[in-house]
Amino acid sequence: MSSAAVSLARQIMRRCDELGRVSEEKSCLTRTFASSAMKRANKLVGSWMRQAGMSVQEDAAFNLIGRLPSAKRSAKTVMIGSHLDTVRNAGKYDGPLGVLLGIAVVEKLRGKKLPFHLEVVGFSDEEGVKYQTTYLGSRAMCGLLAANDLGRIREKGVARAQRSTREFLAYLEAHIEQGPVLEHVRTPVGVVSDIAGQTRIRAAFIGRAGHAGTTPMNLRRDALCGAAEMVLAAEKTGVIATVGQCAVEGGASNVIPGRASFTLDVRDVKDAKRRAACGKLRKIASAVAKRRGLALEWEIVQETPTAPMDAGLTSLLRRAAGPKARSMPSGAGHDAAVMSKVCPVAMLFVRCKGGISHHPDESVKESDVAAALDVLAGAVLELSKRHG
Ligand code: GLV
Ligand code: MN
Ligand code: MN
């Protein structure tokens, strides 16, 4: 491990702590798309980008872009990125670690002449917490927002973030693993093979609200009982499926739930398997509705197919990571899935404690961050030799 990487990793850890305090909630870390906390985070990270010698811009989709131009003006652009939005009550590394590693790569390579422009991007919406549709920032940049996304979001002008993707030479993303495999095999970093596809569904059962004390159990049309059946059905689909939100609308402890809304998040690296599971869940929901006398609302909010990483760029990352680095699929979504539609992408995973993520206890080791920095910087240098 290089000594530069060790001191830069220490700086990354301190910055993750500082950024982890930029939140829209007092008691925990929550930073959603276009929130004032995100704008503050962009300001702070932007100042670190400037310190590293980059010019900085926030685009119309709230993506933060730091740029280190090549002397060759007609050069293409290599991007290193991840996201600066978070889930609710988040850990401080999911997303920010990749952005801060990108800035550290720029610092580590200071003074080197690169045959491409180097950009570090902090995307604004990988989690999809605000509208339940993920990747608004990276899709806006790549011109991949659909009309119904633009209709759904309140922030106007986001589509102006679109860039000419022909200028993109490669996209690299580092991210905490968010799972326990690297810890299990005692390896600091892993190389991603594919990012699993995902479907996000918003659904609701509508029954009849009524008196919780006077209505016999067999004469109820309880919407939450229907939703509860779907939680258990999701558990048995044979793919990765989660009901992450469930709400009784207008409920009270002495009122039979009249409307229960819930979300479904369904994932698999095999797209056909994921689609079949979603079809099966839809059928089960219809049968539950029929049997319980409920109405059903069902909306597929977003579908993202499995994204394979680019073979050439991945092998370059694997060489930089060394023979011990594990090749592994990602069950979590990443902006790299979107970027893979417009340019070659590769991803590096960093071991995290206990595989814990989407939780304030997220934790990474400084020495693993230093190892990841050496790998990323090595891959960028190798890329510069190939394109020099
Ligand atoms: C992002 O973290 C996702 O995979 O939901
Ligand atoms: Mn993430
Ligand atoms: Mn996440």
Side-chain angles (χ1 to χ4, degrees):
M1 200 174 299
S2 68
S3 62
V6 171
S7 65
L8 285 167
R10 188 156 312 137
Q11 183 181 62
I12 290 172
M13 301 301 279
R14 274 200 307 270
R15 287 177 170 178
C16 283
D17 290 342
E18 189 173 347
L19 196 48
R21 291 191 287 273
V22 182
S23 171
E24 59 202 69
E25 294 190 79
K26 275 211 169 75
S27 57
C28 64
L29 171 57
T30 302
R31 207 164 49 229
T32 56
F33 175 70
S35 61
S36 65
M38 168 158 291
K39 290 172 197 163
R40 277 182 281 133
N42 280 357
K43 254 195 165 156
L44 181 62
V45 179
S47 72
W48 295 331
M49 288 171 163
R50 275 190 202 94
Q51 275 173 38
M54 287 179 270
S55 62
V56 181
Q57 178 213 340
E58 185 187 77
D59 72 12
F62 307 94
N63 298 311
L64 181 72
I65 305 165
R67 184 170 169 95
L68 188 75
S70 162
K72 199 169 130 203
R73 283 185 58 191
S74 61
K76 291 195 170 194
T77 302
V78 170
M79 302 166 106
I80 307 176
S82 194
H83 59 101
L84 292 174
D85 67 314
T86 71
V87 290
R88 291 204 174 93
N89 194 20
K92 57 192 171 195
Y93 301 104
D94 171 2
L97 179 65
V99 180
L100 299 182
L101 269 166
I103 297 173
V105 168
V106 171
E107 288 179 324
K108 190 160 187 271
L109 300 184
R110 206 168 232 172
K112 294 251 180 331
K113 283 201 170 65
L114 297 175
F116 39 70
H117 309 299
L118 189 57
E119 288 190 3
V120 178
V121 185
F123 287 114
S124 58
D125 179 57
E126 184 253 358
E127 305 287 5
V129 168
K130 188 156 180 186
Y131 297 110
Q132 218 205 334
T133 73
T134 57
Y135 310 133
L136 288 175
S138 44
R139 288 192 294 138
M141 183 184 278
C142 296
L144 295 171
L145 285 175
N148 63 347
D149 297 310
L150 290 169
R152 184 176 288 121
I153 65 178
R154 286 186 294 279
E155 294 75 15
K156 297 300 165 211
V158 162
R160 275 186 293 151
Q162 183 173 354
R163 291 172 60 173
S164 161
T165 55
R166 271 192 313 239
E167 72 175 276
F168 298 169
L169 184 65
Y171 173 79
L172 290 166
E173 179 163 354
H175 202 284
I176 57 165
E177 179 201 347
Q178 307 184 277
V181 175
L182 291 174
E183 194 172 68
H184 184 69
V185 298
R186 296 167 191 243
T187 311
V189 295
V191 177
V192 175
S193 55
D194 314 84
I195 299 174
Q198 52 174 283
T199 305
R200 295 200 184 189
I201 294 162
R202 195 150 45 199
F205 283 119
I206 300 100
R208 190 178 52 211
H211 199 292
T214 60
T215 317
M217 297 310 281
N218 63 336
L219 296 180
R220 295 179 177 208
R221 286 163 51 209
D222 184 326
L224 183 60
C225 288
E229 286 203 44
M230 294 311 296
V231 174
L232 298 179
E235 195 183 25
K236 292 191 203 106
T237 47
V239 295
I240 300 287
T242 308
V243 174
Q245 286 179 308
C246 182
V248 175
E249 282 161 37
S253 66
N254 59 349
V255 179
I256 299 162
R259 179 184 168 93
S261 57
F262 59 99
T263 59
L264 273 161
D265 176 311
V266 183
R267 308 188 186 203
D268 200 278
V269 280
K270 293 203 172 83
D271 287 329
K273 200 169 159 198
R274 171 179 49 83
R275 281 198 206 100
C278 290
K280 192 169 157 200
L281 284 166
R282 175 76 170 84
K283 273 196 187 140
I284 294 171
S286 298
V288 167
K290 197 163 167 213
R291 175 163 40 80
R292 291 183 171 275
L294 308 171
L296 172 66
E297 289 173 6
W298 188 272
E299 185 196 359
I300 296 183
V301 184
Q302 191 175 345
E303 275 199 290
T304 313
T306 289
M309 301 294 93
D310 178 76
L313 198 60
T314 298
S315 71
L316 192 143
L317 203 54
R318 192 171 299 128
R319 261 203 304 284
K324 275 196 173 160
R326 175 107 174 180
S327 172
M328 58 206 295
S330 170
H334 299 288
D335 290 291
V338 173
M339 299 305 287
S340 73
K341 296 199 163 71
V342 300
C343 69
V345 302
M347 270 198 85
L348 186 74
F349 270 172
V350 185
R351 169 167 60 185
C352 61
K353 190 173 171 193
I356 294 169
S357 186
H358 285 185
H359 189 284
D361 287 351
E362 257 174 25
S363 172
V364 291
K365 277 203 243 165
E366 192 176 299
S367 53
D368 289 356
V369 171
L373 175 55
D374 271 343
V375 173
L376 269 185
V380 172
L381 274 182
E382 189 55 37
L383 208 52
S384 84
K385 281 187 209 143
R386 288 195 187 178
H387 292 275

